[in-house]
Amino acid sequence: MYRHNRVVRLTPNHPLADGRTTHSPLISAFRSQRPDRRPIWFMRQAGRSLPEYRRAREGTAMLDACLTPALASELTLQPVRRHDVDAAIFFSDIVVPLRLAGVDVDIKPGVGPVLGRAVRTADDVAALPSVEDGAFAEALAPVRDGVALTVAELGSTPLIGFAGAPFTLAAYMVEGGPSRDHLAARTLMHADPQTWRALTAWTADVTGAFLRAQVLAGASAAQLFDSWAGSLSLADYTAHVAPASTRALAPVRDLGVPVVHFGTGTGELLVAMRDVGADVVGVDYRIPLDEANRRLGGTVPLQGNIDPALLAAPWPVLEAHVRDVVARGASAPGHVVNLGHGVPPDTDPDVLTRVVTLVHGIAG
Ligand code: CP3
C-alpha cells in the first residue's frame, strides 16, 4: 500500500499555508462560506475549445504534453488568463499516473485512454508494477514540477489537483479502453471479487499518490473524478467501490485541502460519494442542485451543474439556465458554479467567458 504515515504538512510556502489562496472565492465556497464573488470554473476548461491550446499542442501527443512541465503549466494557465475563472485545474489526465507506474497506456485522439492489454485475471493484477517502492514516487517528478511552475504564476488563484477514482481507472483497465456500460468491469467485481479488490486497491494507491504529489507541490484543492460511477447500483458502489475511493483519498485527507468528488449519473450515489471522504460533492446536469442538496441533507457545498449542451444554445436560453443553476445552488451550504460535465471540444470560448462574467455579476 502507498505509505503516507509520515506526518507531512503543507510547507510554509504552500499557497494555502502562506495565505495566497486561503480566502479566495473558490476555497471560501468549498468551506461553506458565501464569498462576494461567486466562484466559477469549468471542468475540461483547458483543451480543444481554445485556439491557443490547439496551437501549443500541435505535434505533441497528449501524454507527452502532460509530462512536459512547462507545456502542462502553460496549458493550465491559458483558460485562467482568457476567462477569468476562479480556479485552474492542472493539465494532466486520469491515466498519467498509470503511465508513470509503467502501465502500457496511451490516449487516442477522439477515443480516450487505450491500454496495450486489458487487465482481467488475478495473474494480470499480480503482474502490475509495484508502486510501493521509491521508484513510483520519483517517476511523479514531472507532475510535481508542472504544479510548482503553475502555482508560481497563479498568485491568489487556487490550483485544483485531480485524479481518477479507482473504479473509473479500473474500468478502463479491465475493458482495455472506453466502453459504454463498463460490463466487463461490473462482471469482474461479482465474478471474482478478490481480484477486483486487489485491482481497485492498486488503482487507489496509484491515484492517491498522484493526488498527494499535486497537493504537496502547491495545489490548494483536490478533485476525484469517478466519471463512470453512475453505471453502478448503490449496492455495488457501496460494496465494491467505496472502500477503494476512501483509500485513494486517505493520502490527502490529512493535508487539510478541500476535496471534491464528482461523477456523472450519480443522483442515487450522492450520499455514498460524500461518505468516502469528500468535503464537496460535484453534481452532473441530470439533477437540479436544490434536489441534490436535499438528498445530501444540506451537509456539504455543491459544485455544478450547467448543462454543457446549453453552451451551444442561443444566449437568452443559456443565460436563463445559468441563473436557474445559481438560484438552486443558493440552497446548499456553499456553491461553486461549474458545468455538469466537461467543456465540449467545439464550444465557442467566448460563450464561456460570457458565462463567467454573468455569474460574477449576479448579486447575493
Ligand atoms: O481542463 C481540465 O479539466 C484539466 C484536464 C483534464 C483532462 N482530462 C485533459 C484531457 C482532466 C481533469 C481530465 C480527466 C479525465 N480524463 C477524465 C475525468 C473527467 C471526465 O471528463 O469525465 C476522464 C474520464 C479522462 C479520460 C480521457 N482522456 C478521455 C475520455 C479523453 C477524451 C478523448 C478525446 O480525444 O475525445 C481524454 C483525453 C484528454 N484529456 C484531452 C484533454 C484536454 C483531449 C486530448 C486532446 O486535446 O488531444
Side-chain angles (χ1 to χ4, degrees), residues 33 55 133 151 158 184 195 198 218-219 239 270 296 307-308 345:
Q33 292 152 14
R55 270 196 304 276
D133 55 22
V151 166
T195 296
L270 295 174
L296 285 157
D307 185 343

Side-chain angles (χ1 to χ4, degrees), residues 54-106:
R54 295 194 297 267
R55 270 196 304 276
R57 267 287 316 279
E58 217 165 278
T60 309
M62 175 63 190
L63 287 178
D64 292 340
C66 296
L67 294 173
T68 307
L71 181 54
S73 176
E74 166 61 19
L75 297 174
T76 303
L77 295 166
Q78 284 178 347
V80 180
R81 290 189 201 114
R82 181 190 267 263
H83 300 308
D84 192 26
V85 280
D86 295 280
I89 181 156
F90 185 54
F91 186 83
S92 192
D93 195 83
I94 59 170
V95 297
V96 161
L98 299 186
R99 163 72 76 89
L100 292 176
V103 172
D104 177 8
V105 60
D106 210 345

